[in-house]
Amino acid sequence: MILISPSLLSADFGALGADAQRMEQAGADWLHYDVMDGHFVPNISVGIPVLKSLKRYASVPLDVHLMISEPLKYIADFAKAGADIITFHVESDSDPVETIKAIREAGCKPSISVKPGTPAEAIFPYLELVDMVLVMTVEPGFGGQSFMADMMPKARAIRDEITKRGLDVMVEVDGGISEKNAALCAENGIDVLVSGSTIFGASDATAMIALIRKNAEEAFRA
């Protein structure tokens, strides 16, 4: 089954709760919440207080993506604010094993992410410890970037390693995902598609989510 997680980075931040509910009504499985610190990536977005407020409006899982230098320091606070899934980067300054442990102890599902320049093998030591791997298909930091198709071999390598080890680990992609490349992602073993501007910019978000899901699931079953 393919899951769709609209990226709230493309939402109207003046009406974030309403936009979150609109995405749920349109068929979103999760809501993707990007946190940027202006250090790990060259942009600043939202943090813990906004997540806490958003939780009042969201009934689907909140997929929190920490693009920050020291995620371990903030795991407990993000969990208390309402995160269901917490993704951090293997390239961050925090120890991956300790960070994964902290996420589980906080009652959330741990996920680890890799930037485009990081090889798949960098996260292989942690596959038994996480519930999901996020493969970035753009350079993290800004929404609206073009999909990097050359990240698909990396995604495929991660999926193959998960299968080889007999693990129940999902693979997510984030960056430039649309109805045009959803099938390619699914063909390479992706379970979760994060899509921002394509969904939020559509005249009919329900139809766009349905189309992305249809294109991906047809390829996934092929």
Coordinates of all heavy atoms in Angstrom, one line a residue, residues 37-136:
D37 N 16.6 24.4 11.1 CA 17.2 25.2 12.1 C 18.1 26.3 11.6 O 18.7 27.1 12.4 CB 18.0 24.3 13.1 CG 19.2 23.6 12.4 OD1 19.4 23.8 11.2 OD2 19.9 22.9 13.2
G38 N 18.2 26.5 10.3 CA 19.1 27.5 9.7 C 20.6 27.2 9.9 O 21.4 28.0 9.5
H39 N 20.9 26.0 10.3 CA 22.3 25.6 10.5 C 22.6 24.3 9.8 O 23.5 24.3 8.9 CB 22.6 25.4 12.0 CG 24.0 25.1 12.3 ND1 24.4 23.8 12.6 CD2 25.2 25.8 12.3 CE1 25.8 23.7 12.8 NE2 26.2 25.0 12.6
F40 N 21.8 23.3 10.0 CA 21.9 22.0 9.3 C 21.6 22.2 7.8 O 22.1 21.6 6.9 CB 21.1 20.9 9.9 CG 21.2 19.6 9.3 CD1 22.4 18.8 9.5 CD2 20.2 19.1 8.5 CE1 22.5 17.6 8.9 CE2 20.4 17.8 7.9 CZ 21.5 17.1 8.1
V41 N 20.5 23.0 7.6 CA 20.1 23.5 6.3 C 20.0 25.0 6.3 O 19.7 25.6 7.3 CB 18.8 22.8 5.9 CG1 18.9 21.3 5.7 CG2 17.7 23.1 6.9
P42 N 20.1 25.6 5.1 CA 20.1 27.1 5.1 C 18.7 27.7 5.0 O 18.4 28.5 4.2 CB 20.9 27.4 3.8 CG 20.6 26.2 2.9 CD 20.5 25.0 3.8
N43 N 17.9 27.3 6.0 CA 16.6 27.8 6.0 C 16.0 27.6 7.4 O 16.5 26.7 8.2 CB 15.6 27.2 5.0 CG 14.4 28.0 4.8 OD1 14.2 29.1 5.2 ND2 13.4 27.3 4.1
I44 N 15.0 28.4 7.9 CA 14.4 28.2 9.2 C 12.9 28.0 8.9 O 12.3 28.8 8.1 CB 14.7 29.4 10.1 CG1 16.2 29.5 10.4 CG2 13.8 29.3 11.3 CD1 16.5 30.8 11.1
S45 N 12.3 27.0 9.5 CA 10.9 26.8 9.3 C 10.1 26.9 10.6 O 10.0 28.0 11.2 CB 10.6 25.5 8.6 OG 11.1 24.4 9.4
V46 N 9.6 25.8 11.1 CA 8.7 25.8 12.3 C 9.3 24.9 13.3 O 10.3 24.2 13.1 CB 7.3 25.3 11.9 CG1 6.5 26.4 11.2 CG2 7.4 24.0 11.1
G47 N 8.8 24.9 14.5 CA 9.3 24.2 15.6 C 8.3 23.5 16.5 O 7.2 23.2 16.1
I48 N 8.6 23.4 17.8 CA 7.8 22.7 18.8 C 6.5 23.4 19.1 O 5.4 22.7 19.1 CB 8.6 22.5 20.0 CG1 9.8 21.5 19.7 CG2 7.8 21.9 21.2 CD1 10.9 21.6 20.7
P49 N 6.4 24.7 19.3 CA 5.1 25.3 19.6 C 4.1 25.2 18.5 O 2.9 25.0 18.7 CB 5.5 26.8 19.9 CG 6.9 26.8 20.3 CD 7.5 25.7 19.5
V50 N 4.6 25.3 17.3 CA 3.6 25.2 16.1 C 3.1 23.8 16.0 O 1.9 23.5 15.7 CB 4.3 25.7 14.8 CG1 3.4 25.4 13.6 CG2 4.7 27.1 14.9
L51 N 4.0 22.8 16.2 CA 3.6 21.4 16.2 C 2.5 21.1 17.2 O 1.5 20.4 17.0 CB 4.8 20.5 16.4 CG 4.5 19.0 16.3 CD1 4.0 18.6 15.0 CD2 5.7 18.2 16.7
K52 N 2.7 21.7 18.4 CA 1.8 21.5 19.5 C 0.4 22.0 19.1 O -0.6 21.4 19.4 CB 2.3 22.1 20.8 CG 1.4 21.8 22.0 CD 2.1 22.4 23.3 CE 1.2 22.2 24.5 NZ 1.9 22.7 25.7
S53 N 0.4 23.2 18.5 CA -0.9 23.8 18.1 C -1.5 23.0 16.9 O -2.7 22.8 16.9 CB -0.6 25.2 17.6 OG -0.2 26.0 18.6
L54 N -0.7 22.5 16.0 CA -1.2 21.7 14.9 C -1.8 20.4 15.3 O -2.8 20.0 14.7 CB 0.0 21.4 13.9 CG -0.3 20.6 12.7 CD1 -1.3 21.3 11.8 CD2 1.0 20.2 12.0
K55 N -1.3 19.8 16.4 CA -1.8 18.6 16.8 C -3.3 18.6 17.2 O -4.0 17.6 17.1 CB -1.0 18.1 18.1 CG -1.3 16.7 18.6 CD -0.9 15.6 17.6 CE -1.1 14.2 18.1 NZ -0.7 13.2 17.1
R56 N -3.8 19.8 17.5 CA -5.2 19.9 17.9 C -6.1 19.7 16.7 O -7.3 19.4 16.8 CB -5.5 21.3 18.5 CG -4.7 21.6 19.8 CD -5.4 22.7 20.6 NE -5.5 23.9 19.8 CZ -4.6 24.9 19.8 NH1 -3.5 24.8 20.6 NH2 -4.9 26.0 19.1
Y57 N -5.5 20.0 15.5 CA -6.3 19.9 14.2 C -6.1 18.6 13.5 O -6.9 18.3 12.6 CB -5.9 21.1 13.3 CG -6.2 22.4 13.9 CD1 -5.2 23.1 14.7 CD2 -7.4 23.0 13.7 CE1 -5.5 24.3 15.2 CE2 -7.7 24.3 14.3 CZ -6.7 24.9 15.1 OH -7.0 26.2 15.6
A58 N -5.0 17.9 13.8 CA -4.7 16.7 13.0 C -5.1 15.4 13.6 O -4.9 15.2 14.8 CB -3.2 16.7 12.8
S59 N -5.7 14.5 12.8 CA -6.1 13.2 13.3 C -5.3 12.1 12.7 O -5.3 11.0 13.2 CB -7.6 13.0 13.1 OG -7.9 13.0 11.7
V60 N -4.6 12.4 11.6 CA -3.7 11.4 11.0 C -2.3 11.6 11.6 O -2.0 12.6 12.2 CB -3.6 11.6 9.4 CG1 -5.0 11.4 8.8 CG2 -3.0 13.0 9.1
P61 N -1.4 10.6 11.4 CA -0.1 10.7 12.0 C 0.7 11.9 11.5 O 0.6 12.2 10.3 CB 0.6 9.4 11.6 CG -0.6 8.4 11.4 CD -1.7 9.2 10.9
L62 N 1.4 12.5 12.4 CA 2.3 13.6 12.1 C 3.7 13.1 11.9 O 4.3 12.5 12.8 CB 2.3 14.7 13.2 CG 0.9 15.4 13.3 CD1 1.0 16.4 14.5 CD2 0.6 16.2 12.1
D63 N 4.2 13.2 10.7 CA 5.4 12.7 10.2 C 6.5 13.9 10.3 O 6.6 14.7 9.4 CB 5.2 12.3 8.7 CG 6.4 11.8 7.9 OD1 7.3 11.4 8.5 OD2 6.3 11.9 6.7
V64 N 7.2 13.9 11.4 CA 8.1 15.1 11.7 C 9.5 14.8 11.2 O 10.1 13.8 11.6 CB 8.0 15.4 13.2 CG1 9.0 16.5 13.5 CG2 6.6 15.7 13.6
H65 N 10.0 15.7 10.3 CA 11.3 15.6 9.7 C 12.2 16.6 10.3 O 12.0 17.8 10.0 CB 11.1 15.7 8.2 CG 12.4 15.6 7.4 ND1 12.5 16.0 6.1 CD2 13.6 15.2 7.7 CE1 13.7 15.8 5.6 NE2 14.4 15.3 6.6
L66 N 13.2 16.2 11.1 CA 14.1 17.1 11.8 C 15.3 17.3 10.9 O 16.2 16.5 10.8 CB 14.5 16.6 13.1 CG 13.4 16.3 14.1 CD1 13.9 15.8 15.5 CD2 12.5 17.6 14.3
M67 N 15.4 18.5 10.2 CA 16.6 18.9 9.5 C 17.3 19.9 10.4 O 17.4 21.1 10.1 CB 16.2 19.5 8.2 CG 15.6 18.5 7.2 SD 15.0 19.2 5.7 CE 13.3 19.6 6.2
I68 N 17.9 19.3 11.5 CA 18.5 20.1 12.5 C 19.8 19.4 12.9 O 20.0 18.2 12.7 CB 17.7 20.4 13.7 CG1 17.3 19.1 14.4 CG2 16.4 21.1 13.3 CD1 16.5 19.3 15.7
S69 N 20.8 20.2 13.4 CA 22.1 19.7 13.7 C 22.2 18.8 14.9 O 22.9 17.8 14.8 CB 23.1 20.9 14.0 OG 23.2 21.7 12.8
E70 N 21.4 19.0 15.9 CA 21.4 18.2 17.1 C 20.0 17.7 17.5 O 19.5 18.1 18.5 CB 22.0 19.0 18.3 CG 23.5 19.4 18.0 CD 24.1 20.2 19.2 OE1 23.9 21.4 19.3 OE2 24.7 19.5 20.0
P71 N 19.5 16.7 16.7 CA 18.2 16.3 17.0 C 18.0 15.6 18.3 O 16.9 15.7 18.9 CB 17.9 15.3 15.8 CG 19.3 14.9 15.4 CD 20.1 16.1 15.5
L72 N 19.0 15.0 18.8 CA 18.9 14.2 20.1 C 18.4 15.2 21.2 O 17.6 14.8 22.1 CB 20.2 13.6 20.5 CG 20.2 12.7 21.8 CD1 19.2 11.6 21.7 CD2 21.6 12.2 22.0
K73 N 18.8 16.4 21.2 CA 18.4 17.4 22.3 C 16.9 17.6 22.3 O 16.4 18.1 23.3 CB 19.2 18.7 22.0 CG 20.6 18.7 22.4 CD 21.2 20.1 22.2 CE 22.7 20.1 22.6 NZ 23.2 21.5 22.5
Y74 N 16.3 17.4 21.2 CA 14.9 17.9 21.1 C 13.8 16.8 20.9 O 12.6 17.1 20.7 CB 14.8 18.9 19.9 CG 15.7 20.0 20.0 CD1 16.9 20.0 19.4 CD2 15.3 21.1 20.8 CE1 17.8 21.1 19.5 CE2 16.2 22.2 20.9 CZ 17.4 22.2 20.2 OH 18.3 23.3 20.4
I75 N 14.3 15.5 20.9 CA 13.4 14.4 20.7 C 12.2 14.4 21.7 O 11.0 14.3 21.3 CB 14.1 13.1 20.7 CG1 15.2 13.0 19.6 CG2 13.1 11.9 20.7 CD1 14.6 13.1 18.2
A76 N 12.5 14.5 22.9 CA 11.4 14.4 23.9 C 10.4 15.6 23.8 O 9.2 15.4 23.9 CB 12.0 14.5 25.3
D77 N 10.9 16.8 23.4 CA 10.0 17.9 23.2 C 9.1 17.7 22.0 O 7.9 18.1 22.1 CB 10.8 19.2 23.1 CG 11.4 19.6 24.4 OD1 10.9 19.2 25.5 OD2 12.5 20.2 24.4
F78 N 9.6 17.2 20.9 CA 8.8 17.0 19.7 C 7.8 15.9 20.0 O 6.7 16.0 19.5 CB 9.7 16.7 18.5 CG 10.2 17.9 17.8 CD1 11.5 18.3 18.0 CD2 9.4 18.7 17.1 CE1 12.0 19.5 17.3 CE2 9.8 19.9 16.4 CZ 11.1 20.3 16.6
A79 N 8.2 14.9 20.7 CA 7.3 13.8 21.0 C 6.1 14.3 21.9 O 4.9 14.0 21.6 CB 8.0 12.7 21.8
K80 N 6.4 15.1 22.9 CA 5.4 15.7 23.7 C 4.5 16.6 23.0 O 3.3 16.8 23.3 CB 6.0 16.5 24.9 CG 6.7 15.5 25.9 CD 7.4 16.4 27.0 CE 8.1 15.5 28.0 NZ 8.9 16.3 29.0
A81 N 5.0 17.3 22.0 CA 4.2 18.2 21.2 C 3.3 17.5 20.2 O 2.4 18.2 19.6 CB 5.1 19.2 20.4
G82 N 3.5 16.2 20.0 CA 2.5 15.5 19.1 C 3.1 14.7 18.0 O 2.3 14.2 17.2
A83 N 4.4 14.6 17.8 CA 5.0 13.8 16.8 C 4.6 12.4 16.9 O 4.6 11.8 18.0 CB 6.5 14.0 16.7
D84 N 4.3 11.7 15.8 CA 4.1 10.3 15.8 C 5.3 9.5 15.2 O 5.6 8.5 15.7 CB 2.8 10.0 14.9 CG 1.6 10.6 15.6 OD1 1.1 10.0 16.6 OD2 1.0 11.6 15.0
I85 N 5.8 10.1 14.1 CA 7.0 9.6 13.5 C 8.1 10.7 13.6 O 7.8 11.9 13.3 CB 6.8 9.2 12.0 CG1 5.6 8.2 11.9 CG2 8.0 8.7 11.3 CD1 4.8 8.4 10.7
I86 N 9.3 10.4 14.0 CA 10.4 11.4 14.0 C 11.5 10.9 13.1 O 12.1 9.8 13.4 CB 10.9 11.7 15.4 CG1 9.7 12.3 16.3 CG2 12.0 12.7 15.4 CD1 10.1 12.6 17.7
T87 N 11.8 11.7 12.1 CA 12.9 11.4 11.2 C 14.1 12.4 11.5 O 13.8 13.6 11.6 CB 12.5 11.6 9.7 OG1 11.5 10.7 9.4 CG2 13.7 11.3 8.8
F88 N 15.3 11.8 11.6 CA 16.5 12.7 11.8 C 17.5 12.3 10.7 O 17.4 11.2 10.1 CB 17.1 12.6 13.2 CG 17.7 11.2 13.4 CD1 19.1 11.1 13.3 CD2 17.0 10.1 13.7 CE1 19.7 9.9 13.5 CE2 17.6 8.9 13.9 CZ 19.0 8.8 13.8
H89 N 18.5 13.1 10.5 CA 19.5 12.8 9.5 C 20.7 12.1 10.0 O 21.2 12.5 11.0 CB 19.9 14.1 8.8 CG 18.9 14.5 7.7 ND1 19.2 14.3 6.4 CD2 17.7 15.1 7.7 CE1 18.2 14.7 5.6 NE2 17.3 15.2 6.4
V90 N 21.1 11.1 9.2 CA 22.4 10.4 9.6 C 23.6 11.4 9.6 O 24.6 11.1 10.3 CB 22.6 9.2 8.7 CG1 23.0 9.6 7.3 CG2 23.6 8.2 9.3
E91 N 23.4 12.5 8.8 CA 24.5 13.4 8.7 C 24.5 14.4 9.9 O 25.5 15.3 9.9 CB 24.4 14.2 7.4 CG 24.4 13.4 6.1 CD 22.9 13.0 5.7 OE1 22.0 13.3 6.5 OE2 22.8 12.5 4.6
S92 N 23.6 14.4 10.8 CA 23.5 15.3 11.9 C 24.6 15.0 12.9 O 25.4 14.1 12.8 CB 22.2 15.2 12.6 OG 22.1 14.1 13.4
D93 N 24.8 15.9 13.9 CA 25.8 15.8 14.9 C 25.5 14.8 16.0 O 26.4 14.4 16.8 CB 26.1 17.1 15.5 CG 26.7 18.1 14.5 OD1 27.3 17.7 13.5 OD2 26.5 19.3 14.7
S94 N 24.2 14.4 16.1 CA 23.8 13.5 17.2 C 24.2 12.0 16.8 O 24.1 11.6 15.7 CB 22.3 13.6 17.4 OG 22.0 14.9 17.9
D95 N 24.5 11.2 17.8 CA 24.8 9.8 17.7 C 23.5 9.1 17.2 O 22.4 9.2 17.8 CB 25.2 9.2 19.0 CG 25.5 7.7 18.8 OD1 26.5 7.3 18.3 OD2 24.6 6.9 19.2
P96 N 23.6 8.4 16.0 CA 22.3 7.8 15.5 C 21.7 6.8 16.4 O 20.5 6.8 16.5 CB 22.8 7.1 14.2 CG 24.0 8.0 13.8 CD 24.7 8.3 15.1
V97 N 22.5 5.9 17.0 CA 21.9 4.9 17.9 C 21.2 5.5 19.1 O 20.1 5.1 19.4 CB 23.0 3.9 18.3 CG1 22.4 2.9 19.4 CG2 23.5 3.1 17.1
E98 N 21.8 6.5 19.7 CA 21.2 7.2 20.8 C 20.0 7.9 20.4 O 19.0 8.0 21.2 CB 22.2 8.1 21.5 CG 23.4 7.5 22.2 CD 22.9 6.6 23.3 OE1 22.0 7.0 24.1 OE2 23.3 5.4 23.4
T99 N 20.0 8.5 19.3 CA 18.8 9.3 18.8 C 17.7 8.4 18.5 O 16.5 8.6 18.9 CB 19.2 10.1 17.5 OG1 20.3 10.9 17.8 CG2 18.0 11.0 17.1
I100 N 17.9 7.2 17.9 CA 16.9 6.2 17.6 C 16.3 5.7 18.9 O 15.1 5.6 19.1 CB 17.4 5.1 16.8 CG1 17.8 5.6 15.4 CG2 16.4 3.9 16.7 CD1 18.7 4.6 14.6
K101 N 17.2 5.5 19.9 CA 16.7 5.0 21.2 C 15.8 6.0 21.9 O 14.8 5.7 22.4 CB 17.9 4.7 22.1 CG 17.6 4.2 23.5 CD 18.9 3.9 24.3 CE 18.6 3.5 25.7 NZ 19.8 3.3 26.5
A102 N 16.2 7.3 21.8 CA 15.4 8.3 22.4 C 14.0 8.5 21.8 O 13.0 8.7 22.4 CB 16.2 9.7 22.3
I103 N 14.0 8.3 20.4 CA 12.7 8.4 19.7 C 11.8 7.3 20.2 O 10.6 7.5 20.5 CB 12.9 8.3 18.2 CG1 13.7 9.6 17.7 CG2 11.6 8.2 17.5 CD1 14.2 9.5 16.3
R104 N 12.3 6.1 20.3 CA 11.5 4.9 20.7 C 11.0 5.1 22.2 O 9.8 4.9 22.5 CB 12.2 3.6 20.6 CG 12.3 3.1 19.2 CD 12.2 1.6 19.2 NE 12.4 1.1 17.8 CZ 11.5 1.0 16.9 NH1 10.3 1.4 17.1 NH2 11.9 0.6 15.7
E105 N 11.9 5.6 23.0 CA 11.6 5.7 24.4 C 10.5 6.8 24.6 O 9.8 6.8 25.6 CB 12.8 6.1 25.2 CG 13.8 4.9 25.4 CD 15.0 5.2 26.2 OE1 15.3 6.4 26.4 OE2 15.8 4.2 26.5
A106 N 10.5 7.8 23.7 CA 9.5 8.9 23.7 C 8.1 8.4 23.2 O 7.2 9.2 23.2 CB 10.0 10.1 22.9
G107 N 8.1 7.2 22.7 CA 6.8 6.7 22.2 C 6.5 7.0 20.7 O 5.4 6.8 20.3
C108 N 7.5 7.4 20.0 CA 7.4 7.6 18.5 C 8.1 6.6 17.7 O 8.9 5.8 18.2 CB 7.9 9.0 18.2 SG 7.1 10.4 19.0
K109 N 7.8 6.6 16.4 CA 8.4 5.7 15.5 C 9.7 6.3 14.9 O 9.6 7.5 14.4 CB 7.5 5.3 14.3 CG 6.3 4.4 14.8 CD 5.5 4.0 13.6 CE 4.3 3.1 14.0 NZ 3.5 2.7 12.9
P110 N 10.9 5.7 15.0 CA 12.1 6.3 14.5 C 12.3 6.1 13.0 O 12.0 5.0 12.5 CB 13.2 5.6 15.3 CG 12.6 4.3 15.6 CD 11.1 4.4 15.7
S111 N 12.8 7.1 12.4 CA 13.1 7.1 11.0 C 14.4 7.8 10.8 O 14.7 8.8 11.5 CB 12.0 7.8 10.2 OG 12.4 8.0 8.9
I112 N 15.2 7.4 9.8 CA 16.5 8.0 9.5 C 16.6 8.4 8.1 O 16.0 7.8 7.2 CB 17.7 7.0 9.9 CG1 19.0 7.7 9.9 CG2 17.7 5.8 9.0 CD1 20.1 6.9 10.6
S113 N 17.2 9.6 7.8 CA 17.2 10.1 6.5 C 18.6 10.3 6.0 O 19.6 10.5 6.7 CB 16.5 11.5 6.5 OG 16.4 12.0 5.2
V114 N 18.7 10.3 4.6 CA 20.0 10.6 3.9 C 19.8 11.7 2.9 O 18.8 11.7 2.2 CB 20.6 9.3 3.3 CG1 21.1 8.4 4.3 CG2 19.5 8.6 2.4
K115 N 20.8 12.6 2.9 CA 20.8 13.7 1.9 C 21.2 13.0 0.5 O 21.8 11.9 0.5 CB 21.8 14.7 2.2 CG 21.4 15.6 3.4 CD 22.5 16.6 3.6 CE 22.3 17.5 4.8 NZ 23.3 18.6 5.0
P116 N 21.0 13.8 -0.6 CA 21.4 13.3 -1.9 C 22.9 12.8 -2.0 O 23.2 11.9 -2.7 CB 21.1 14.4 -2.8 CG 19.9 15.1 -2.2 CD 20.2 15.0 -0.7
G117 N 23.8 13.5 -1.3 CA 25.2 13.2 -1.5 C 25.7 12.1 -0.6 O 26.8 11.7 -0.6
T118 N 24.8 11.6 0.3 CA 25.2 10.5 1.2 C 24.8 9.1 0.6 O 23.7 8.9 0.2 CB 24.4 10.7 2.5 OG1 24.7 12.0 3.1 CG2 24.8 9.6 3.5
P119 N 25.8 8.2 0.6 CA 25.5 6.9 0.0 C 24.5 6.1 0.9 O 24.4 6.3 2.1 CB 26.9 6.2 0.0 CG 27.6 6.9 1.1 CD 27.2 8.3 1.1
A120 N 23.8 5.1 0.2 CA 22.9 4.3 0.9 C 23.5 3.5 2.0 O 22.9 3.3 3.1 CB 22.3 3.3 -0.1
E121 N 24.7 3.1 1.9 CA 25.4 2.3 2.9 C 25.6 3.0 4.2 O 25.8 2.3 5.2 CB 26.8 1.9 2.3 CG 26.8 0.9 1.2 CD 26.4 1.6 -0.1 OE1 26.4 2.8 -0.2 OE2 26.1 0.8 -1.1
A122 N 25.4 4.3 4.2 CA 25.6 5.1 5.5 C 24.5 4.7 6.5 O 24.8 4.8 7.7 CB 25.6 6.6 5.2
I123 N 23.4 4.3 6.0 CA 22.3 4.0 7.0 C 22.1 2.5 7.2 O 21.3 2.1 8.0 CB 20.9 4.6 6.6 CG1 20.5 4.3 5.1 CG2 21.0 6.1 6.8 CD1 19.7 3.1 5.0
F124 N 22.8 1.7 6.5 CA 22.7 0.2 6.6 C 22.9 -0.3 8.1 O 22.2 -1.2 8.5 CB 23.7 -0.5 5.7 CG 23.3 -0.6 4.2 CD1 22.1 0.1 3.8 CD2 24.0 -1.3 3.3 CE1 21.7 0.1 2.5 CE2 23.6 -1.3 2.0 CZ 22.5 -0.6 1.6
P125 N 23.9 0.3 8.8 CA 24.1 -0.2 10.2 C 22.9 0.1 11.1 O 22.8 -0.5 12.2 CB 25.3 0.7 10.7 CG 26.0 1.1 9.5 CD 24.9 1.3 8.5
Y126 N 21.9 0.9 10.7 CA 20.8 1.3 11.5 C 19.4 0.7 11.1 O 18.4 0.9 11.7 CB 20.7 2.8 11.6 CG 22.0 3.4 11.9 CD1 22.6 4.2 10.9 CD2 22.7 3.3 13.1 CE1 23.9 4.7 11.1 CE2 23.9 3.8 13.3 CZ 24.5 4.6 12.3 OH 25.8 5.1 12.5
L127 N 19.5 -0.1 10.0 CA 18.2 -0.6 9.5 C 17.4 -1.5 10.4 O 16.2 -1.4 10.4 CB 18.5 -1.4 8.2 CG 18.9 -0.6 7.0 CD1 19.2 -1.5 5.8 CD2 17.9 0.5 6.6
E128 N 18.1 -2.2 11.3 CA 17.4 -3.1 12.2 C 16.7 -2.3 13.4 O 15.9 -2.8 14.1 CB 18.3 -4.1 12.8 CG 18.4 -5.4 12.1 CD 19.5 -5.3 11.0 OE1 20.2 -4.3 10.9 OE2 19.7 -6.3 10.3
L129 N 17.1 -1.0 13.5 CA 16.7 -0.2 14.6 C 15.6 0.8 14.3 O 15.0 1.3 15.2 CB 17.9 0.6 15.1 CG 19.2 -0.2 15.5 CD1 20.3 0.8 15.9 CD2 18.9 -1.2 16.6
V130 N 15.3 1.0 13.0 CA 14.3 2.0 12.6 C 13.1 1.4 12.0 O 13.1 0.2 11.6 CB 14.9 3.0 11.6 CG1 16.1 3.8 12.3 CG2 15.4 2.4 10.3
D131 N 12.0 2.2 11.9 CA 10.8 1.8 11.2 C 10.7 2.3 9.8 O 9.9 1.9 9.0 CB 9.6 2.3 12.0 CG 9.4 1.6 13.4 OD1 10.0 0.5 13.5 OD2 8.7 2.2 14.2
M132 N 11.6 3.3 9.5 CA 11.5 3.9 8.2 C 12.8 4.6 7.8 O 13.6 5.0 8.7 CB 10.4 5.0 8.1 CG 10.1 5.5 6.7 SD 8.5 6.5 6.7 CE 9.1 8.0 7.6
V133 N 13.1 4.6 6.5 CA 14.2 5.4 5.9 C 13.7 6.4 5.0 O 12.8 6.1 4.1 CB 15.2 4.5 5.2 CG1 16.3 5.3 4.5 CG2 15.8 3.4 6.1
L134 N 14.1 7.7 5.1 CA 13.7 8.7 4.2 C 14.8 9.1 3.3 O 15.9 9.5 3.7 CB 13.3 10.0 5.0 CG 13.1 11.3 4.2 CD1 12.1 11.1 3.1 CD2 12.7 12.4 5.1
V135 N 14.6 8.9 2.0 CA 15.6 9.2 1.0 C 15.2 10.6 0.4 O 14.1 10.7 -0.2 CB 15.6 8.2 -0.2 CG1 16.6 8.6 -1.2 CG2 16.0 6.8 0.4
M136 N 16.1 11.6 0.6 CA 15.8 12.9 0.0 C 16.0 12.9 -1.5 O 17.1 12.5 -1.9 CB 16.7 13.9 0.7 CG 16.4 14.2 2.2 SD 14.7 14.7 2.5 CE 14.7 16.3 1.6

